[in-house]
Amino acid sequence: TVFHEDAEFMVTMTADANIVQELIARTSDFPKLWNRGLQIPLQEFTANGLFTSSETSDDWKTGHNLLPRGFNQIKIKSFAPQILAKTRAFVREWSNFKAGHKVEHVNDWLTAMTADAVVSCSMGVDMRNVERLGAGQEAHKFVDTFRSGLGITVGAINARTEYGLKRFLPFFNASGKVAKKFAEVKKEMQKQVEDIVEATRQGEIGNQNSIIRSMLEDRDADGKHVRYGALYGHVVNIMIAGHETTAATLGFTMQLLAENPVYEARALEEVRQVLNGRTEPSVDDVPKLQFVEQCFREALRLYSPVTTITRDVAHDTLLGGHRVYQGERINLITRALHTNPEYWGGEFGDPLSFNPDRFSPEAVQNRHPNAYHPWGFATRACIGSQFALFEAKTFLASMLIHFRLQSIPGYKLVASTHGGGAAPSPEGLAFQVFPRPGGPLWSDKGLMQPLPAMSTPGSVKPGTGPVMKVLYGSNSGSSQDFASQVEAAAARSGFQTSLHSLNTAVVENLVVPDGRLVIIVTSTYNGLPPDNAGKFKKWLQAQKPNSLDGLNYAVFGVGNSQWHTYQQFPREIDAGLDSFGGKRLCDLGGCDVDGASFTSDFEDWLSNLLQTIGAGSSTPGPEEGIPGSEEFSLLTAPADGIKVLKSPEVVLQALADGKKEAAKLIGTTEVVDAHLKALEVVEPPRELCQKPEGRSVRHVTLRLPKGANYRAGDHLEMLPPNDPALVTMAMEALNLDKDSVVCWDHSKRQKKWRNLPLDEQLYAKMPTMHLPCELVMQWFPDLAVSPDRKVLAWLAEKAISPEAQEELRSLAKDAEKYKAKVSSLNVSLAEVLHKFKGFADVQLGEFLALAKSIGTRRYSVSSSPLAPGADPSTVTVTVGQVKFTTGTGRVHYGLASTMLGQLPVGGCVPGMVRTLQSDFHLPDDKSAPIIMIGPGTGLAPMMGFLQEREALLKKKEKLGEAILFFGCRSRDQDYLYEKELEAHLKSGALSTLHVAFSREAGEKVYVQDKIWEHRADVWSVLSHPKSVVFICGDARAMAPDVKRSFQRVIESCGGRSNSMAANLLASMVEAGRYLEDVWA
């Protein structure tokens, strides 16, 4: 019911932060509609874009779901080079002015810079408007057309401005001429947008960060693409919001700083401290410019480019206790809100005055959270606000360090739209420009000097050579690390490189047979692609003969030789690219993570690849040092007053807190997870074997951290420490004091530690931490593995003894000798250090950057949170104790198994829950029959499944048949969970149990033998269309033998041929009905 017939013409105005708070809380009651006054004619030009459409529009909904992805924190960081390039171009053009020159039309300069930046970043086109303006040329036609269309729409260009008194002549029809011009301008604008879209589609412009590419290819959560006809509106909207508003606020900020030299001096001092002698900010410098940001935000408060924020009343209701009617409009007047004395006066003085301290962290915290909304709010908040902040801080820092801007005498700051833009800008803005005293452009005579070259350390000129796409498929991070090394080495030689996942390559159409080089580094998982490579496999299978003719490629595989599917996916890629016409640059490379030459095999392949394509060395030059070597360093000064983190639990908590703090600094509101967390032992580890002196398996119960949950079939991923004996051996050899304090500087991080995969963009903002040296050596370098040849070469340079130097160099250079004396004997890094001890000038950071980091271990959980009477916050794992003698005679104890098997109640281990890619869980249809094969500790996930089935039975669920094949040595030696299995048989959770004892009879019997023995029962379940098979255990022998047994059953009982039986199993794998959780 509409209680007021004139509601659609009514407007309620407000400047009350409490009203804003209510509007945000009641978004559905107060949507934003685009249907009144100036909105309608503006939409004639801007169309149904993200900012100029109603929330009820399907185009808005799809755009709202997709477009914000293009301006998230990761993308903004990747935009830094383009933003810096346009800022540098601006500074260069202004450095051509003589000192004291009056620069007029400053707004034109600023809009040129911001338009160039946003189009370059979001669409991949550099319009060079800044350079055009400096050369006295007309603006790029895209900007010129845009300004003309927008000017006519908002009335800045009209019959009076165009024709003057002529408009009054009879039959002149001035309004008709303006309307005709508008139609021509809009048609031209549509054509230009269409040309940009088509060029993006053809791959001529726009990289993976292109907003247009995203709109063409990505889908929202509902699976919808942006409608092709809506592309125009979104592009024009991005132009309005992406450059005019930022340019206007930059102009206000620059003038306000010129009028307030005290604040200008504070901003300049901050810039100088952050840049530390450099002349341009790096991507990591920008977030540190806190006061510069405060100045920009204060200018934005006083002169908001969005003068009014509107909402509409969806139905008759109350707002702030007052009745409002359906169709009525609510106008938030931003100028009034932002100068409301209730929020902005007090200690900071007149709300109309410029005082950046209003945005100090303390002031912001104490102010009403809804007193400041220059970028809109709730679902209609500006998606590019963080981009604008990054761009503005980069630009202002560069201007402050290079120039001193002097306000024109008598100039009065007035916000005006007379320039034809959508956002009010400083009317008639001009400056007298001088070189900053002591700055890069300063000379002794006060003259302006030419702009010097970029002074950021380690800068590399963008490649101008052939295009190279480096692609990776990776779950644990090893393949991605190797791919990063390929990309870095090729970039040093001038190739135009970029790094992407294999799935991204498909989405962004990067594998194009146009002569480019495509280098692929990938692992495999049970013969399947890694999580970020599944789309690539489907894409490759869909290719046609000769479709890749002209593609140059090379493939390197990372795998474990103990798996029966070793290098399967890399081989598929290599063979597939070749069969469809690709040109192989070098033979398929591969490394075995189970072997000690893991790293050196990759380095040899990379060197061969680089030589083949005419690139330089794969090794960084001496001037580049060892990447990541500055992340860890020994504290040389006294540690008095420094908080030292002395236990793994404390370090994990500090990492979690540090990540949250870093997230706040970069302005993200996403929930932050610390990855590894402390898992506490809640019961004494229980021995499961009847004769543990021969073989020991422990049942370990752990408490998950608050908020964590799991399902039967998941994994627990855990990080183990080094053996204390190896730690002592290594520290003595390197002459390290266990109580020395190590400084951990996350901002210097370059090497990807697989045990601490925090988000890359957060590392630079993480607070520095201090740890005891012994703790660092316990948890970071893997002292139990054999060192690769790169580490041996580094140790040779540090060894004091000439004999040690010679032997280490020989091992590093001679692959056969290295294999015979190091890798084949499993000589640990600690043993090498001990044997050749006596090293000079050893930097801890270099050692940690070169040494392989300790990798996490995964264990299948052996419990279910749904089990009757279970505590869902506790989880159990079944851990076989690893112990063997190496080739050197050293008794090796498994790092993770030893730790888990010996931890006392209350002890903690770093870990987290992981879910398998293959969805290793009970089927959703509980009536589906299942077959479980779990010899040895492979029984673990099956115990969780049986516990879950017990819970289902209690709920009177109808369950399908469940057959379990378990294997062990003998009933009186290692029959795991015997009593529990008997109880599951009795309850009916387990239908049938077959146990294979490999050491009881004269002939060894394994699970695959039992499968064949009971083939009729197996086929009865296997032939059911909903049946699911679960296999857990050894990947090297058991898993392939079990698969062969199933194939025999299908052939024998199902009457299928060999190929048909193999195809049936393959179809079950594809359908997720034959699931393996196996390990080497």
Side-chain angles (χ1 to χ4, degrees):
T1 303
V2 179
F3 292 130
H4 202 298
E5 60 182 9
D6 296 323
E8 62 182 285
F9 304 107
M10 295 176 62
V11 175
T12 295
M13 298 187 183
T14 184
D16 188 339
N18 294 307
I19 294 296
V20 178
Q21 186 167 315
E22 187 172 350
L23 291 173
I24 294 172
R26 300 172 61 191
T27 300
S28 59
D29 294 337
F30 300 100
K32 182 179 180 72
L33 303 180
W34 198 268
N35 57 8
R36 281 201 192 188
L38 292 176
Q39 291 178 330
I40 296 173
L42 181 60
Q43 198 177 46
E44 281 294 310
F45 181 65
T46 63
N48 210 26
L50 186 63
F51 309 114
T52 57
S53 58
S54 299
E55 291 179 14
T56 53
S57 161
D58 288 338
D59 288 336
W60 179 84
K61 292 175 183 176
T62 307
H64 175 69
N65 286 333
L66 282 177
L67 291 178
R69 302 176 190 174
F71 295 99
N72 62 33
Q73 292 293 338
I74 298 175
K75 289 290 181 67
I76 290 171
K77 189 173 182 179
S78 70
F79 292 150
Q82 294 101 305
I83 293 172
L84 184 57
K86 297 316 302 183
T87 299
R88 190 183 306 128
F90 191 103
V91 171
R92 181 178 293 110
E93 294 300 335
W94 277 36
S95 71
N96 292 327
F97 296 133
K98 293 181 180 180
H101 177 79
K102 181 181 179 182
V103 182
E104 297 185 288
H105 309 295
V106 172
N107 291 326
D108 290 343
W109 281 99
L110 294 173
T111 52
M113 193 280 294
T114 54
D116 280 359
V118 73
V119 173
S120 175
C121 292
S122 64
M123 304 178 204
V125 178
D126 183 3
M127 299 186 295
R128 294 181 60 80
N129 283 302
V130 172
E131 294 86 345
R132 291 169 185 266
L133 195 55
Q137 301 172 355
E138 291 184 357
H140 188 282
K141 64 177 182 178
F142 186 84
V143 172
D144 187 54
T145 307
F146 169 79
R147 288 179 180 171
S148 296
L150 193 62
I152 296 172
T153 299
V154 300
I157 299 175
N158 52 45
R160 181 182 60 81
T161 61
E162 292 296 287
Y163 307 111
L165 294 177
K166 283 185 179 180
R167 68 186 187 279
F168 297 118
L169 291 174
F171 310 110
F172 186 76
N173 191 15
S175 59
K177 287 179 167 37
V178 172
K180 182 180 179 182
K181 181 177 181 180
F182 176 76
E184 293 171 350
V185 165
K186 183 176 180 180
K187 184 177 180 180
E188 175 62 23
M189 191 70 197
Q190 290 172 326
K191 179 181 181 301
Q192 290 182 35
V193 170
E194 187 175 335
D195 290 344
I196 291 175
V197 170
E198 186 58 30
T200 303
R201 189 198 303 276
Q202 296 296 331
E204 298 169 7
I205 62 172
N207 56 20
Q208 68 272 20
N209 296 321
S210 167
I211 297 294
I212 293 178
R213 183 178 296 281
S214 176
M215 288 192 285
L216 286 171
E217 299 175 353
D218 291 353
R219 297 175 184 268
D220 67 6
D222 296 326
K224 294 181 179 179
H225 284 294
V226 170
R227 186 173 59 87
Y228 190 83
L231 288 173
Y232 167 82
H234 290 316
V235 170
V236 175
N237 273 240
I238 288 171
M239 280 295 295
I240 295 175
H243 89 280
E244 285 218 333
T245 54
T246 307
T249 308
L250 283 174
F252 287 119
T253 307
M254 292 161 67
Q255 175 61 28
L256 288 166
L257 286 175
E259 292 177 0
N260 294 271
V262 173
Y263 295 131
E264 181 190 27
R266 285 175 60 184
L268 175 61
E269 180 59 26
E270 179 184 69
V271 171
R272 283 174 170 164
Q273 287 182 1
V274 171
L275 267 57
N276 193 25
R278 290 175 286 116
T279 60
E280 296 176 335
S282 70
V283 64
D284 295 324
D285 291 330
V286 176
K288 300 174 185 175
L289 299 170
Q290 174 64 35
F291 189 74
V292 173
E293 180 175 328
Q294 290 176 212
C295 294
F296 184 78
R297 286 183 178 275
E298 174 69 345
L300 197 55
R301 177 185 72 86
L302 290 169
Y303 299 97
S304 298
V306 179
T307 57
T308 304
I309 299 173
T310 67
R311 289 294 186 271
D312 292 85
V313 182
H315 53 82
D316 296 351
T317 184
L318 298 177
L319 176 63
H322 299 279
R323 172 164 285 181
V324 289
Y325 301 97
Q326 180 181 345
E328 185 175 343
R329 173 146 293 180
I330 311 299
N331 279 1
L332 171 66
I333 310 302
T334 53
R335 169 75 171 181
L337 175 69
H338 294 167
T339 57
N340 189 330
E342 183 179 348
Y343 316 124
W344 300 100
E347 62 179 302
F348 300 110
D350 184 354
L352 298 177
S353 66
F354 179 72
N355 186 346
D357 287 325
R358 287 189 173 93
F359 288 92
S360 67
E362 299 80 11
V364 171
Q365 188 174 5
N366 293 330
R367 191 163 44 245
H368 194 297
N370 290 296
Y372 184 69
H373 281 293
W375 286 301
F377 51 77
T379 56
R380 301 302 291 252
C382 177
I383 64 172
S385 60
Q386 293 303 311
F387 177 90
L389 269 178
F390 191 96
E391 178 185 23
K393 290 162 71 174
T394 301
F395 178 79
L396 290 170
S398 294
M399 292 297 289
L400 283 164
I401 207 78
H402 286 91
F403 302 109
R404 178 176 68 85
L405 303 181
Q406 184 171 301
S407 181
I408 304 301
Y411 177 78
K412 186 176 181 181
L413 199 54
V414 175
S416 170
T417 56
H418 289 167
S425 57
E427 186 173 18
L429 184 62
F431 292 107
Q432 280 186 285
V433 60
F434 297 89
R436 175 69 65 186
L441 307 179
W442 176 258
S443 68
D444 292 339
K445 297 181 180 180
L447 301 176
M448 194 87 79
Q449 294 293 315
L451 179 68
M454 183 177 178
S455 60
T456 303
S459 61
V460 179
K461 184 179 179 180
T464 55
V467 173
M468 176 187 286
K469 303 296 180 184
V470 184
L471 313 178
Y472 62 85
S474 182
N475 278 346
S476 67
S478 297
S479 296
Q480 186 174 351
D481 287 347
F482 283 158
S484 298
Q485 293 180 44
V486 175
E487 193 267 343
R492 282 194 295 270
S493 296
F495 284 79
Q496 300 180 61
T497 62
S498 57
L499 183 67
H500 315 268
S501 72
L502 283 163
N503 279 352
T504 300
V506 174
V507 172
E508 299 186 0
N509 194 30
L510 300 179
V511 188
V512 180
D514 59 358
R516 68 180 60 187
L517 287 75
V518 174
I519 313 301
I520 297 172
V521 183
T522 185
S523 58
T524 190
Y525 182 80
N526 282 342
L528 300 174
D531 294 342
N532 53 11
K535 292 180 181 178
F536 186 87
K537 179 174 182 177
K538 293 180 180 178
W539 171 87
L540 186 59
Q541 291 172 336
Q543 297 305 301
K544 298 179 180 178
N546 301 317
S547 62
L548 299 180
D549 188 14
L551 180 76
N552 301 295
Y553 77 92
V555 181
F556 186 85
V558 180
N560 190 313
S561 59
Q562 295 194 41
W563 290 54
H564 67 285
T565 55
Y566 179 60
Q567 300 289 0
Q568 180 170 320
F569 184 55
R571 287 199 303 268
E572 289 176 4
I573 293 178
D574 182 65
L577 294 176
D578 176 67
S579 66
F580 294 123
K583 178 183 177 182
R584 186 184 289 113
L585 296 170
C586 61
D587 291 340
L588 170 68
C591 66
D592 181 5
V593 297
D594 195 50
S597 58
F598 170 62
T599 305
S600 56
D601 288 346
F602 166 74
E603 291 169 351
D604 292 343
W605 176 84
L606 177 56
S607 295
N608 180 44
L609 170 67
L610 295 175
Q611 184 176 359
T612 301
I613 63 178
S617 170
S618 60
T619 306
E623 71 283 354
E624 297 181 56
I626 299 172
S629 61
E630 296 180 346
E631 183 178 356
F632 294 91
S633 59
L634 283 171
L635 198 64
T636 55
D640 299 339
I642 293 177
K643 182 180 180 182
V644 180
L645 311 176
K646 297 185 177 181
S647 70
E649 305 95 290
V650 175
V651 173
L652 289 171
Q653 187 58 52
L655 286 169
D657 295 341
K659 191 176 181 185
K660 291 176 182 177
E661 183 179 331
K664 290 179 181 178
L665 289 175
I666 65 173
T668 180
T669 57
E670 296 178 9
V671 177
V672 176
D673 192 355
H675 183 68
L676 297 177
K677 296 181 180 178
L679 309 180
E680 181 187 357
V681 176
V682 295
E683 294 179 8
R686 174 163 63 98
E687 179 60 56
L688 296 175
C689 291
Q690 291 75 14
K691 295 180 180 179
E693 62 275 8
R695 186 184 183 214
S696 174
V697 178
R698 308 280 173 84
H699 178 83
V700 183
T701 305
L702 300 159
R703 186 174 305 283
L704 295 172
K706 186 177 180 180
N709 51 62
Y710 77 100
R711 295 173 63 188
D714 284 345
H715 279 180
L716 270 191
E717 183 176 40
M718 303 178 194
L719 176 69
N722 281 304
D723 185 332
L726 297 183
V727 174
T728 300
M729 191 185 296
M731 294 187 70
E732 287 179 355
L734 296 174
N735 197 27
L736 296 172
D737 184 348
K738 68 176 186 178
D739 295 322
S740 297
V741 176
V742 176
C743 175
W744 187 7
D745 186 350
H746 301 281
S747 67
K748 302 292 176 58
R749 175 184 184 270
Q750 292 185 42
K751 179 176 179 179
K752 178 174 285 188
W753 294 91
R754 286 192 297 279
N755 54 349
L756 295 170
L758 293 173
D759 296 340
E760 293 291 333
Q761 78 272 24
L762 294 178
Y763 258 96
K765 315 301 177 297
M766 292 275 287
T768 298
M769 299 174 187
H770 296 86
L771 290 70
C773 187
E774 184 177 37
L775 191 69
V776 172
M777 294 294 285
Q778 278 180 327
W779 293 92
F780 285 89
D782 193 336
L783 300 175
V785 300
S786 298
D788 60 34
R789 287 188 283 157
K790 184 190 296 183
V791 173
L792 296 179
W794 178 79
L795 288 174
E797 299 303 314
K798 303 294 182 181
I800 298 173
S801 163
E803 293 79 12
Q805 292 177 2
E806 183 179 352
E807 178 66 10
L808 286 166
R809 286 194 183 106
S810 176
L811 290 169
K813 291 179 180 179
D814 189 333
E816 290 302 319
K817 184 176 181 180
Y818 169 81
K819 183 177 180 180
K821 291 195 172 185
V822 180
S823 63
S824 65
L825 300 177
N826 289 319
V827 181
S828 68
L829 173 57
E831 289 175 291
V832 171
L833 292 172
H834 179 73
K835 179 179 179 180
F836 298 102
K837 65 181 176 182
F839 300 98
D841 191 31
V842 171
Q843 300 298 315
L844 180 64
E846 292 182 354
F847 172 74
L848 294 173
L850 286 169
K852 182 182 178 182
S853 58
I854 297 179
T856 53
R857 274 65 165 169
R858 290 190 179 189
Y859 292 92
S860 303
V861 302
S862 53
S863 58
S864 169
L866 305 177
D871 179 353
S873 69
T874 63
V875 63
T876 69
V877 287
T878 306
V879 185
Q881 302 296 286
V882 176
K883 178 184 177 183
F884 62 87
T885 302
T886 69
T888 63
R890 177 179 65 87
V891 178
H892 174 81
Y893 295 92
L895 301 187
S897 63
T898 302
M899 172 190 65
L900 287 169
Q902 297 180 357
L903 273 176
V905 173
C908 291
V909 55
M912 70 173 296
V913 175
R914 286 285 195 188
T915 299
L916 289 179
Q917 171 190 339
S918 58
D919 194 24
F920 199 87
H921 301 111
L922 286 178
D924 293 334
D925 186 346
K926 307 308 177 188
S927 66
I930 62 173
I931 300 175
M932 300 172 283
I933 294 90
T937 56
L939 179 60
M942 315 311 173
M943 297 303 296
F945 292 160
L946 293 172
Q947 291 178 19
E948 188 168 319
R949 285 171 63 91
E950 292 282 3
L952 294 171
L953 284 175
K954 285 190 175 295
K955 293 181 179 179
K956 308 298 183 183
E957 292 267 5
K958 183 181 178 181
L959 300 183
E961 185 178 357
I963 302 175
L964 170 62
F965 290 90
F966 170 61
C968 61
R969 294 176 181 176
S970 64
R971 185 180 297 274
D972 63 353
Q973 185 176 351
D974 57 350
Y975 194 148
L976 309 182
Y977 298 112
E978 182 177 7
K979 292 181 180 179
E980 289 90 336
L981 289 173
E982 289 176 356
H984 290 314
L985 276 170
K986 187 175 181 180
S987 70
L990 178 60
S991 309
T992 310
L993 171 64
H994 300 294
V995 184
F997 297 108
S998 63
R999 299 293 189 274
E1000 282 197 346
E1003 184 180 354
K1004 293 182 178 179
V1005 179
Y1006 297 105
V1007 287
Q1008 56 266 31
D1009 302 316
K1010 286 291 182 180
I1011 291 172
W1012 177 246
E1013 179 184 340
H1014 300 280
R1015 52 190 175 275
D1017 294 337
V1018 169
W1019 173 245
S1020 175
V1021 173
L1022 203 62
S1023 58
H1024 191 287
K1026 294 182 180 180
S1027 65
V1028 182
V1029 176
F1030 297 96
I1031 301 165
C1032 184
D1034 170 52
R1036 181 179 53 185
M1038 183 276 295
D1041 286 347
V1042 164
K1043 200 166 193 177
R1044 281 191 286 270
S1045 285
F1046 276 122
Q1047 184 164 334
R1048 288 179 65 197
V1049 171
I1050 296 170
E1051 293 172 15
S1052 174
C1053 300
R1056 307 293 205 278
S1057 65
N1058 181 273
S1059 60
M1060 291 178 67
N1063 288 338
L1064 176 59
L1065 280 177
S1067 67
M1068 290 184 68
V1069 172
E1070 288 293 325
R1073 292 176 47 225
Y1074 190 96
L1075 302 169
E1076 292 182 314
D1077 175 9
V1078 294
W1079 61 84

